[in-house]
Amino acid sequence: MIEARHVRFGFRPDVAIFDSWSCTVDVGEIVAVTGPSGRGKSTLLYLLGLMVRPDDGGIWLHGDRVDTLSDRERARLRAHEFGFVFQDAVLDGTRTVIDNVLETAMYRNDPPADARRAATALLERLEVSHRSDHRPGEISGGQAQRIAVCRALLGNPSIVLADEPTGNLDSAAAAAVEGVLFGHAGRGGTVIVATHDPDLANRCDRILTL
């Protein structure tokens, strides 16, 4: 499904976070990325999600190299193939919860009525539908993270990249988020989770330790 081949990357030319680093994650797998803070877990998700380009090596998706595509083509792939859960949720404070979830549907030109039904179902699944008309400043951090998960899963993306998706959640909410992520992999999606939670990591199919 997605593959990194001999990737080298650093934010400074003289310091490589990754140096000839390779991995493959297959269809239906849920893989945990673990390691100490600052080791590059989030950066790896940005590389795999085509947000930054490797300095050397490359990223392959469905057997095709994609890191060398134009900015427009990489943006199209991000909209259609990927769902992202950022560590701090990254919700637009000027828009309602439901509109934040629906944001990715606009990039794909999904039928509005179908997208809204799917978004509402996800919000209900994660028990935040009662916040649909609120704005991010009116909800808790844990609710914001669950809403970010809903946004990532809308449209049934091939690949979900989740950065500490359960870090701000209580045990019940964390279990609900894990349930939808594992369910996505069970239906043939590919899920990569950066996490410090050893229990979550051990439930994944594999662990990649940085």
Side-chain angles (χ1 to χ4, degrees), residues 124-140:
E124 290 174 350
R125 175 82 183 273
L126 290 177
E127 299 182 349
V128 283
S129 60
H130 62 295
R131 296 296 194 180
S132 292
D133 294 329
H134 289 69
R135 298 187 187 275
E138 302 169 332
I139 62 177
S140 71

Side-chain angles (χ1 to χ4, degrees), residues 8 38 41 43-45 48 79 95 112 166-167 172 192 199 203:
R8 178 181 173 85
K41 297 185 296 298
T43 301
L44 177 59
L45 298 187
L48 295 175
R95 305 169 71 186
T166 61
I192 304 173
D199 293 331
R203 286 193 292 274

Side-chain angles (χ1 to χ4, degrees), residues 2-205:
I2 190 164
E3 183 178 5
R5 298 183 188 174
H6 306 295
V7 163
R8 178 181 173 85
F9 179 80
F11 291 106
R12 290 170 43 189
D14 58 330
V15 180
I17 301 173
F18 298 99
D19 192 2
S20 195
W21 193 89
S22 300
C23 76
T24 300
V25 183
D26 292 324
V27 173
E29 270 198 303
I30 181 164
V31 173
V33 179
T34 66
S37 296
R39 179 57 188 85
K41 297 185 296 298
S42 298
T43 301
L44 177 59
L45 298 187
Y46 298 155
L47 284 162
L48 295 175
L50 308 180
M51 294 182 181
V52 296
R53 297 181 191 267
D55 299 323
D56 198 5
I59 307 296
W60 272 254
L61 179 66
H62 306 307
D64 296 320
R65 186 170 183 179
V66 291
D67 63 289
T68 54
L69 295 173
S70 68
D71 290 346
R72 182 175 181 175
E73 281 299 303
R74 288 185 298 124
R76 185 189 65 80
L77 284 175
R78 286 195 300 269
H80 288 268
E81 298 281 352
F82 291 90
F84 296 90
V85 183
F86 298 99
Q87 190 169 355
D88 56 355
V90 192
L91 302 179
D92 184 346
T94 68
R95 305 169 71 186
T96 63
V97 162
I98 188 69
D99 284 340
N100 268 278
V101 175
L102 289 168
E103 180 181 5
T104 58
M106 292 190 301
Y107 300 141
R108 294 186 299 269
N109 293 317
D110 293 348
D114 293 345
R116 183 169 288 270
R117 279 193 293 271
T120 299
L122 284 165
L123 290 167
E124 290 174 350
R125 175 82 183 273
L126 290 177
E127 299 182 349
V128 283
S129 60
H130 62 295
R131 296 296 194 180
S132 292
D133 294 329
H134 289 69
R135 298 187 187 275
E138 302 169 332
I139 62 177
S140 71
Q143 289 171 334
Q145 193 68 354
R146 280 179 280 167
I147 291 158
V149 172
C150 294
R151 179 180 60 191
L153 290 172
L154 187 68
N156 194 32
S158 299
I159 300 166
V160 173
L161 304 171
D163 195 355
E164 293 287 352
T166 61
N168 296 323
L169 304 181
D170 60 37
S171 58
V177 166
E178 290 173 17
V180 297
L181 293 177
F182 278 85
H184 188 71
R187 292 187 297 274
T190 298
V191 180
I192 304 173
V193 181
T195 183
H196 286 290
D197 182 348
D199 293 331
L200 171 57
N202 287 328
R203 286 193 292 274
C204 292
D205 297 319

